[in-house]
Amino acid sequence: MRPVKNAAGQYHVCFVCTEEVKLLPRADGEGGDLEFVGVDLGIESLAVLSTGEKVGNPRWFENEYDRLRREQQKLSRKEKGSNNWERQRKRVAKVHQRIQDRRKDFIEKLTTRLVENFDVIVVEDLSVKNMQQNGNLARHIGGAGWNQIVRRLRDKRKWYSRTLVIADKWFPSSQRCSECGYVDGKKPLGRRSWTCSECGQHHDRDVNAAKNLSRALADPNSST
C-alpha cells in the first residue's frame, strides 16, 4: 500500500475495513412513533432543526480568508518554479487543507449526531450550482458545504438503517405556515421572520421551514 501525497506535502494512507456496521436502535425506543427532524440548511445558521435548535455556521473559509490572501500574495511575488516558490506554494496549500479538514470534521460530527438522534431526517433539494450564480452569496454558499452534509447523511443512513428524505426543490418550506398550513407566498431572503396572514402566528423563517420539512412525507411534492 503506497501513501498518497497531497498538495500541502502531507501523506495519507487509506485502509479498507470489512467489519459490519452495527445498526443503531430506534431513536425513540421500540414501539413508539419514529423520531422525525427537518433540517433547513443555510448561511447564517449552517443548519436549523425543526426542534428549534440552530447550529451556527463556523465560516471556515471566511475565518482563513485574510491569511490565505496574504499567503497567495507572497506566492505571486516568487519566481515560479524556484525553491522559494515551491515552499510558499505549500504554505498556501496548507491553508486550503486546514479549511477542508475543519469543515470535514464539523460535518462528520453534525451528521453523526443527526443519525444517532433521529430515525427520519428531511432536507431540501438545494440547487447549489444555480444558487452560486448570485455573486454576493457564491463564496458563502460554496464554503458552507451543503452538498457534503447531504452526501454524508446519504452514506450514514445506509450504514445505520435510518431514512433520509429529500424534499422536492419546489416544496414551499419557507412559504407555508407550519401552524395552520396556509401558503403565504414568497419572501425575500433578508426577511428573517414573518407573521402568517391567515392565523397570525409569528415565525422565525428558518425554524418554520425546518418544521415544514419534518412533515414533508405527508406532502406529495417530496422524494426519498
Side-chain angles (χ1 to χ4, degrees), residues 1-219:
M1 181 180 297
R2 297 182 60 183
V4 177
K5 185 178 180 181
N6 65 16
Q10 301 168 333
Y11 288 91
H12 296 264
V13 178
C14 294
F15 294 90
V16 178
C17 300
T18 57
E19 183 179 357
E20 291 186 10
V21 176
K22 295 181 180 179
L23 299 182
L24 291 171
R26 281 176 52 165
D28 63 327
E30 294 297 334
D33 294 332
L34 294 175
E35 289 289 336
F36 282 71
V37 68
V39 182
D40 184 61
L41 301 176
I43 296 174
E44 187 64 30
S45 296
L46 183 62
V48 177
L49 311 188
S50 54
T51 59
E53 178 187 354
K54 293 187 176 184
V55 179
N57 186 351
R59 298 181 183 274
W60 304 277
F61 184 82
E62 286 85 347
N63 290 337
E64 295 282 355
Y65 179 72
D66 289 340
R67 180 174 183 176
L68 181 61
R69 185 176 59 180
R70 288 196 301 270
E71 296 296 350
Q72 287 177 329
Q73 287 175 343
K74 291 178 183 178
L75 179 64
S76 68
R77 292 194 288 267
K78 307 293 183 184
E79 181 182 351
K80 189 172 184 179
S82 66
N83 290 335
N84 286 337
W85 180 88
E86 179 61 23
R87 282 193 290 270
Q88 187 59 36
R89 184 198 63 77
K90 287 184 179 180
R91 292 191 184 101
V92 173
K94 285 180 179 179
V95 178
H96 281 293
Q97 190 64 46
R98 183 165 53 251
I99 294 169
Q100 293 175 22
D101 290 344
R102 290 178 176 177
R103 181 191 296 115
K104 181 179 179 180
D105 179 68
F106 189 92
I107 289 175
E108 287 294 336
K109 291 175 179 175
L110 172 62
T111 53
T112 295
R113 181 161 69 89
L114 289 173
V115 299
E116 286 179 342
N117 289 283
F118 300 98
D119 301 299
V120 182
I121 302 164
V122 188
V123 296
E124 192 173 4
D125 184 11
L126 297 172
S127 301
V128 174
K129 288 186 177 180
N130 292 337
M131 296 173 72
Q132 284 183 308
Q133 293 178 5
N134 184 327
N136 296 325
L137 298 176
R139 192 175 74 192
H140 301 290
I141 293 172
W146 294 341
N147 282 339
Q148 190 174 347
I149 292 172
V150 176
R151 184 166 61 251
R152 296 306 291 148
L153 285 173
R154 285 186 186 276
D155 293 338
K156 292 178 183 181
R157 62 109 179 190
K158 294 178 182 178
W159 300 343
Y160 299 115
S161 190
R162 295 305 201 217
T163 299
L164 176 67
V165 177
I166 308 297
D168 188 87
K169 63 182 178 180
W170 302 116
F171 181 71
S173 60
S174 296
Q175 302 172 29
R176 175 178 294 169
C177 173
S178 60
E179 187 69 20
C180 70
Y182 180 70
V183 178
D184 214 8
K186 291 185 178 180
K187 301 161 188 66
L189 287 175
R191 190 175 175 185
R192 307 314 304 166
S193 63
W194 56 281
T195 301
C196 177
S197 60
E198 183 71 13
C199 70
Q201 179 70 31
H202 188 71
H203 295 292
D204 175 289
R205 179 193 182 103
D206 300 328
V207 174
N208 177 73
K211 287 180 178 179
N212 283 323
L213 286 170
S214 71
R215 302 161 188 162
L217 279 177
D219 191 284

